[in-house]
Every structure is written in C-alpha cells, then in structure tokens.
Amino acid sequence: MPTRNVLRVSPRTQAPAPRLAQAIIVVALVLYGTMTVLNVVRTSPPVGELTVCVGLVLALFGVQFAVSSPGARQWPPARKALMLALQAVLTFAPLAWFGVSWGSMEGPLAASLLLTLPARYAWPSYAALIAFIPAYNLLAGAPVDLVVYYTLAGTLTGLVIYGLTRLTDLVREVHDTREELARMAVAQERLRFARDLHDLLGYSLSAITLKGELIQRLITTRPETARKEIASVLQVARQALADVRLVSSGYRDMSLAEEAESAGSVLAAADVRARVDVECGRLHPVVDTVLATALREGVTNILRHSRVRVCSIEAEMDDETVRLRLTNDQPHEHGRIFSDHSGGSGLDNLRSRAAAIGGGLSAGLQDDGGFLLEVWAPLRPQSAEETEPLMFEPARMERTAVA
C-alpha cells in the first residue's frame, strides 16, 4: 500500500524574512552608533577620548542589540532590570565626559523601556526620558536649534528601534504560525487516512477472517462449499484492494466550493490577502473531488513553500470544461523541490487524477514572477473503466516546480 510522505519545512525555508528584519535592526543600530561617534568627532577630541567614545558606543549598542533579540521578551524580570540598569549607566555616565556631544543617546534606552517594561509603565517612562533630553541640553548651554535636533533625534531613535524590533517579532510569529498551519494540515490528513481505513477496511478484513476460518473447517469435509467460499473471499479481497487505493490516493467525495471557503479562511489566518471566486454551480462528484483535491494541495504548497502575500482562487466553466486557477506571488526562492509521489500528494499525482477524467494540469512561474496552478476537467468525466489505469499508475520521480 502506498505511504504518504510528509514534507518537512526546514529552518532555511523560513529564514529569509526573519533574517532580513533582524539585519535591518543591526544596520539601524550601526548607523545610529556611527552618528553618535560623528557628533563627538566634530568637536575634535584627542585620540584617547575618541577611542573611549567608540568603546562606549559599541558597548551601549551591544546591550541594545541583546534587548532587541527575539528571545529578550521571554527574559525573567530580574534579567530585564539588570539590562536596563546597565544600559542606563552606559547612557548617562558619558554625559559627564562628553557633555552635549553625547547627543541623543537616550533614544536607544527609550526603546529598551518600551520593549522590556509593561505597557502601563513603558510609555510614561519613555515620555519622561524624552523630556530629559531638552532639559539637560538647555542646562548644559546648548543652542536652541541643537536642543530641538537632539530631542527629535532621541524621540525618533526610540520609536524606530522599538518599531523595528516589534516588526521582527511579528515576522517571526507569522512564520511560526504558517509552519503550525502546515503541521495541522498534515495532522488532519493523517486523521482522515486513519478514519477512512477504519471505515472502508474494517468490514472487509473481518469478512475475510471469518470466511477464512469457515474455509479451514470445510476444506476437508465439504470441498465444493469451500471452493465457493474461496471465490467469495477473492471478491471481498478485490473490494478491499480498491478501497485501499481510494484511501491512499485521497480520492473520495469532496466539494470544491467547501474547499475554497476553507482555503480562504486558512489563507486569511496566515495573513494572506486571498480573493476567492468559485461559482461553478453543481459539478459531477468525481470532477468536484478532483478540483477540490487540487485546490487543497495547491494551498498547502503555498503555505509551506512560498512567502505568499497575495493569492487568487478562481473557478469558471467554459463550454464543457471547468477550470480552476490558483495564483500567488512570492514563490519559493529556490523555485523547485522534489514532488511527493508515493502518498497521493504532489503535482504529478494531481496531474494523473486530472488526466484520469479527461482533464489536465499546468503549473509554473508567470511573467510577473508569480506562480500559477491551473487544473481543468470536463463537466462529464470519463467512465471508470477508462480512468482506473490512469488513476493508480505509479508516477515517476522527477523535479517539479511548485509554489
């Protein structure tokens, strides 16, 4: 009996977006630190003083980078308090040495307050720290234009670092959610497989067992009756084999309209803008199942192997043909993976199912960089005698482009 292989999502598949967001934070912190050093350089300090300034900037932004790391939100309160205290020392102590040249270095500390403190304390603390910037610079004798500049720079720095850090957290959460959705889809398919096996094979296997025991008792005393029972067992076994094929291929009654509605809700949960337009009326059950299966496989591939933001699901009838189109942007950066042929999933299996009822399938990248999966089928499928050899013919292993 064919087995269903589970596609696993490797960390590298999910990594680009979180890595990019984290890289943006690093670049932003480096630029802010460089601006601080330049503020000190313009005062033409001695080499030793400049060296100390660079060291302090590296230490301060090193602490800031730790506070902005993905795991910092799960730190215990004691560690958060320690990091805030260390950053406060690195922020205020240099004021005694560099004075107003230390600029708006309160900005990173303001961001750390927003990231580590509860909301009811974070924003008042942030406001108090920003208010400190003009007060200190005025008392230090800085000109008004420089006071305004430092105040705006400190405010902006705090908000930008806070916003970029939260954005990185959200990107990581979205990727984790998408992986969980794919994992749930696999779990649901396993449950479906187990349920169908129980429902379809329970009676057949029980009948084969009972008839086998009967044949064992009759074969020596009533051979003619035993031969009739053997023929009956063969008939039950053939039916069981057909049932296994149906279960392993997932080829059972499904609804395209219901599957489209479910796909729309799943894509919306993954923060994907989905447009669903499926108005085909009532379809033949076999055609309905083939198209619904193709839609389910396509949506699963989109969630697991792309960085999709926009998706479109359309189905329409053209003369005696019904067509399903599934498009998405941001296909997988590598573009190609091995398709899964052994368990009734993958594009080759969908192509075989569509061909079995007189239809077809095409899939590939479009000129605009998006991915298109199109499946078409006749309104009246071919007869069972014509389709069976196609439905269960083993597929060959080859590379297939997927979304």
Side-chain angles (χ1 to χ4, degrees), residues 1-2 240-251 388 391-392:
M1 182 179 66
L241 178 59
D243 290 341
V244 170
R245 287 173 172 173
L246 292 176
V247 174
S248 63
S249 64
Y251 199 86
E388 186 174 358
M391 285 175 59
F392 303 113

Side-chain angles (χ1 to χ4, degrees), residues 353-369:
R353 290 186 185 181
I357 61 173
L361 178 147
S362 65
L365 296 175
Q366 297 179 288
D367 294 337
D368 61 358

Side-chain angles (χ1 to χ4, degrees), residues 6 96 138 170 191 202 210 235 254 293 313 331 341 353:
V6 178
L138 287 173
L170 292 175
L191 290 175
L210 293 174
Q235 183 179 358
M254 297 171 62
T293 303
I313 300 172
H341 306 281
R353 290 186 185 181

Side-chain angles (χ1 to χ4, degrees), residues 28 32 111 155-165:
Y32 279 128
T155 304
L156 180 62
T157 300
L159 292 177
V160 167
I161 295 176
Y162 169 73
L164 290 176
T165 302

Side-chain angles (χ1 to χ4, degrees), residues 66 71 75-85:
W75 285 352
R79 185 174 182 182
K80 290 181 179 180
L82 178 62
M83 297 301 287
L84 280 178

Side-chain angles (χ1 to χ4, degrees), residues 160-365:
V160 167
I161 295 176
Y162 169 73
L164 290 176
T165 302
R166 291 298 300 140
L167 177 62
T168 302
D169 293 341
L170 292 175
V171 168
R172 194 172 299 276
E173 289 175 8
V174 168
H175 276 255
D176 292 343
T177 300
R178 293 174 66 176
E179 181 179 2
E180 184 62 26
L181 287 172
R183 194 177 292 115
M184 290 173 60
V186 172
Q188 290 175 355
E189 183 61 16
R190 286 174 175 170
L191 290 175
R192 193 279 309 173
F193 188 85
R195 183 176 60 249
D196 287 357
L197 275 179
H198 178 273
D199 294 342
L200 292 176
L201 299 183
Y203 170 80
S204 298
L205 294 178
S206 298
I208 291 173
T209 301
L210 293 174
K211 288 180 178 293
E213 294 174 350
L214 177 60
I215 293 170
Q216 188 178 29
R217 293 195 303 267
L218 295 176
I219 196 167
T220 55
T221 59
R222 301 169 62 184
E224 290 299 326
T225 305
R227 275 195 291 270
K228 293 180 181 180
E229 293 297 335
I230 289 175
S232 177
V233 169
L234 290 176
Q235 183 179 358
V236 175
R238 290 191 184 99
Q239 182 60 48
L241 178 59
D243 290 341
V244 170
R245 287 173 172 173
L246 292 176
V247 174
S248 63
S249 64
Y251 199 86
R252 66 197 191 284
D253 288 345
M254 297 171 62
S255 168
L256 175 61
E258 293 177 0
E259 199 64 30
E261 181 179 357
S262 175
S265 63
V266 170
L267 290 170
D271 200 22
V272 177
R273 297 197 304 273
R275 183 172 67 88
V276 180
D277 185 11
V278 176
E279 297 291 338
C280 299
R282 186 169 183 175
L283 299 174
H284 189 283
V286 174
V287 175
D288 214 11
T289 297
V290 169
L291 296 179
T293 303
L295 176 58
R296 172 176 292 186
E297 181 69 18
V299 171
T300 300
N301 282 345
I302 286 176
L303 289 174
R304 302 194 68 175
H305 305 296
S306 75
R307 296 171 287 173
V308 60
R309 295 179 181 174
V310 180
C311 178
S312 173
I313 300 172
E314 300 175 321
E316 60 181 9
M317 287 188 292
D318 180 18
D319 294 332
E320 295 299 315
T321 303
V322 57
R323 293 181 179 273
L324 170 67
R325 295 185 181 89
L326 179 60
T327 60
N328 65 278
D329 65 345
Q330 302 291 326
H332 190 280
E333 60 179 349
H334 299 299
R336 300 172 75 86
I337 65 168
F338 278 110
S339 53
D340 180 14
H341 306 281
S342 59
S345 62
L347 294 185
D348 283 345
N349 187 271
L350 294 179
R351 186 177 287 108
S352 297
R353 290 186 185 181
I357 61 173
L361 178 147
S362 65
L365 296 175

